[in-house]
Every structure is written in structure tokens, then in C-alpha cells.
Amino acid sequence: MLFSIDEDAGARIVGWIMPDNPAATPHVSILIGGELRKVIPATVLRPLLREQGLHETGICGFVVDEHVVPGLPEVRDIELYDETTNIRIYRRRPDTARADQKLFRLETRVVAQAALNLPIQDLFHMTFTRLERIPEEAVKSILGIAFTPSIYCTGRIFFRTYEPLLQDRGFKSTVLLRDPLEELAEQLLVLRWAVKTPNLAYSVLNETFRPLVDSLGKAELAEMADLEAWLAGLPPFERSLLADPLSRLLTCRGSDDALEATAVENALDTLSEMDVLGLAGAEDDYWATLRAVLELDLPPLPDLSWSRQVGELRDQVAEWPAVQDLLAADLQVFADVTAVFSRVDEATEEAVEPPAQPAPAG
């Protein structure tokens, strides 16, 4: 699905949606105050879409005017969604959206750190989270939005696929890195939960994890330590779903790409190009840096959840030989980045340390 908004002239909002099915007529859901008020079909011919073979009829354009929404010029909280995908394609800029810039945050966690979005998203005109659940072409439409300079996006996506577009459209990029062992521990706990509650699991997990859920459901796990044997016995494909997720997000272009021998070097190069880099456990420093780079008065960072169960399993996972191989690249990347941060902290402490006073005479 591709989309664009041509204008919001107050009394009319004009745009188009090109659906994945080139024979389908797109429909626009109109929400006011968060409530669905009306669904309208596209009725306007967009000749280029037909001429370029992208749509059979080219009837992809729509107009929302006062015939559709009475009193439209005065309606501040109107939102437009593509009915088929439920992707928000437009909203009128809220008063809170004072950021005239574009920010992308790479999410590295399977369980998204949603608390990091809450203080930020209302500062931007258009916000999009969980990009990993949106088709690639739709993500490119989102990153290419031209009707506003104020966009915030985040998702667990393959960064290299979108990096050229992010740079071309003037996005600042940021990532908060997490200990790979802690991330694996959380993933294992989520997979166990998914086995027990499959109907709820995929509200958190991407469908790509289904083979792991199926595999774990067949395993005999009397205790947590049995997870090590399960990990060690995974076939190559299922193993690849857990192997070095951070390095893959930073260096691969898709789930089918193999991790290259130079993955650590390439991942560090990618991180060096980020505008703001932070480490989990030092979120206050990350937040202060983000505030300085964006030159925005960010709200205080909310309390971030921490699971004792994840921490305890992390300590066990760290002792499993199978894990050292499974996360070899990620562990090296995280160690190198942590070392850089430590050197910066040491240099900063030395710079602010007051000079030693001479001993008194006599």
C-alpha cells in the first residue's frame, strides 16, 4: 500500500491510496475524536497510477470536504486511515506537535520499549510505531511523507533497507542498545508464554517467530536449564531466528540475508552514523543526549519496566556455551560500544576533576 496527502486546505483534504491489490478500490476511514464516523471510497481518477501500471483503473484519489464532514474547517482532531491496512495516513497537526524535524528510533527489542515513545510521540505531527508490522512499501510511503516536516517513527526493522531513504528525507536516527544476553532471556520467556497463550502471543511477537513457538511447544522443559538443550538442538533455520538479532538489524536488508563475516565491523559502522546512541541501564544519559541533539524540551523519561525474572534468566543464559556462539557478533558489538562509553565517561570525569591543591608550606 502506498499513499500521499496532497493538501489540507481547511475545507478539503485531498490525497490518494494505492492498494496492494491493483484491482481494488481503496476506502478511507474517517475518525473524529478517536471514533469512526464514516468510511468513503476513492472516487477520483489519478491518471499516473494507471498509466504506470500501478492500478487498473487509477481510481485511487479521495476528497474529504464539508459534504463528507460538516464543519470540516473547525474539526481539529480528524484522522484518516486506510481501511484495509488500518494505517493512519493523515491527521491534523495537534497543538502539542512543536517539533519540526524527523526522528527514527530503531527498536531492537522483541518486546518493544513502548515507554520511550510516550513522551516523544505527541511532540510530532505524524507518529508511527511498530513499523515491523507494516509492509515495506507502506513504510517507504511513511518515511517519504511530504506534507509535514514533523514525523516520528520507530520499529524493529532492517535498518540498511531504509537508511538511504531516512538520510534523503532528513531523519535523525537513534537507538538504545541492550545487553544481548538480557534480550535473549526475554525472548525465551516470551516464547514460553507464547506456547501457553498462542492467541495473545502474536500481539507481541512477529509472525516470523511462529516456527520457534511450534518447536518449543514440542520440547520437554521441566526447568529453565532445559532451554539450553533446546537451543543447542535447533536446526539452522530456527537457529537463525534467534542468532545475533542486533547485528542483523544493523547490517542485513531482510530476514533471508546471511550475516557476513564482517558483521561486527559493519554493525559498528552503522552505529557510528546514528545521531544518538545509548545504552540500556543509562537511559537518563541517553535521554539528555537526545534532548540536546533534537533541541527539544523533552518531558521527563518515564519509569522503564524491569523484570527480575529476565535478569535471573540472563545470568543463567550467560553460562550456556550454545549462547556464546549464537550471539557471538552481538556480544562483540555490545562489548565494543560499552568500552567506548566507558572511555568517554572516564575522560569526562578527568576533565571536570578539580586540580590538586599544593600542600601548605612547612
Side-chain angles (χ1 to χ4, degrees):
M1 188 271 286
L2 301 175
F3 69 90
S4 182
I5 301 297
D6 298 328
E7 68 169 355
D8 180 352
R12 51 188 262 134
I13 303 170
V14 181
W16 57 265
I17 298 172
M18 190 187 74
D20 293 330
N21 180 356
T25 298
H27 287 70
V28 180
S29 299
I30 302 171
L31 281 71
I32 298 176
E35 296 183 0
L36 178 64
R37 295 296 180 87
K38 190 171 293 187
V39 178
I40 62 170
T43 57
V44 180
L45 173 66
R46 305 301 293 242
L48 285 178
L49 297 181
R50 184 179 62 185
E51 292 168 8
Q52 293 175 3
L54 300 174
H55 194 266
E56 289 184 6
T57 67
I59 305 296
C60 296
F62 63 86
V63 176
V64 179
D65 57 19
E66 293 197 77
H67 295 290
V68 178
V69 178
L72 179 61
E74 288 73 43
V75 178
R76 298 302 309 156
D77 54 356
I78 185 170
E79 300 173 277
L80 307 181
Y81 285 74
D82 170 51
E83 185 192 35
T84 300
T85 63
N86 200 35
I87 294 173
R88 182 169 62 187
I89 62 172
Y90 182 71
R91 70 169 175 171
R92 283 188 165 160
R93 186 164 180 164
D95 294 337
T96 59
R98 59 180 185 272
D100 275 326
Q101 52 192 302
K102 301 175 183 180
L103 177 66
F104 169 74
R105 183 176 70 82
L106 179 63
E107 178 61 74
T108 65
R109 302 184 177 200
V110 166
V111 181
Q113 189 79 313
L116 288 177
N117 300 329
L118 296 177
I120 296 179
Q121 56 193 20
D122 288 342
L123 299 176
F124 291 83
H125 179 183
M126 296 296 292
T127 62
F128 299 88
T129 59
R130 305 299 297 272
L131 290 184
E132 69 275 10
R133 293 181 174 266
I134 298 176
E136 182 177 327
E137 291 302 314
V139 173
K140 290 180 178 178
S141 269
I142 288 169
L143 299 181
I145 284 174
F147 61 78
T148 180
S150 179
I151 307 172
Y152 172 62
C153 301
T154 180
R156 194 174 187 264
I157 59 178
F158 292 97
F159 184 71
R160 283 298 185 191
T161 300
Y162 303 98
E163 183 182 26
L165 184 56
L166 287 166
Q167 292 181 349
D168 180 69
R169 298 297 178 166
F171 277 82
K172 289 183 171 67
S173 297
T174 180
V175 63
L176 182 66
L177 299 186
R178 186 187 199 183
D179 175 1
L181 296 171
E182 186 175 310
E183 174 61 24
L184 178 61
E186 183 167 273
Q187 289 186 27
L188 292 174
L189 290 172
V190 171
L191 288 171
R192 291 190 71 208
W193 168 72
V195 170
K196 299 175 183 178
T197 57
N199 292 335
L200 294 175
Y202 295 99
S203 63
V204 175
L205 283 175
N206 191 288
E207 281 287 334
T208 56
F209 285 89
R210 189 175 291 275
L212 289 170
V213 176
D214 294 340
S215 172
L216 192 60
K218 299 172 185 176
E220 294 184 7
L221 302 176
E223 53 189 33
M224 283 294 187
D226 293 333
L227 282 169
E228 180 183 10
W230 174 75
L231 280 176
L234 284 176
F237 172 70
E238 293 173 9
R239 176 184 173 82
S240 71
L241 299 177
L242 289 172
D244 294 312
L246 174 61
S247 298
R248 292 183 59 79
L249 289 175
L250 293 172
T251 66
C252 295
R253 297 182 183 276
S255 58
D256 295 333
D257 286 4
L259 204 62
E260 298 180 358
T262 57
V264 171
E265 178 183 350
N266 295 340
L268 292 172
D269 285 344
T270 300
L271 291 172
S272 71
E273 296 166 3
M274 294 278 189
D275 294 279
V276 181
L277 175 62
L279 291 175
E283 287 89 356
D284 288 340
D285 293 339
Y286 170 71
W287 205 245
T289 305
L290 193 62
R291 180 183 290 115
V293 169
L294 296 178
E295 297 182 343
L296 282 175
D297 184 19
L298 297 180
L301 185 66
D303 291 336
L304 302 177
S305 60
W306 183 83
S307 167
R308 183 181 300 277
Q309 191 176 14
V310 170
E312 292 173 351
L313 182 56
R314 183 258 178 227
D315 292 339
Q316 293 182 51
V317 164
E319 302 298 325
W320 297 350
V323 168
Q324 300 304 314
D325 182 51
L326 188 72
L327 299 179
D330 279 10
L331 290 170
Q332 187 61 58
V333 169
F334 189 73
D336 289 350
V337 173
T338 301
V340 170
F341 271 80
S342 295
R343 289 196 294 270
V344 170
D345 290 342
E346 290 172 2
T348 302
E349 290 176 2
E350 291 176 0
V352 300
E353 185 176 338
Q357 298 297 319

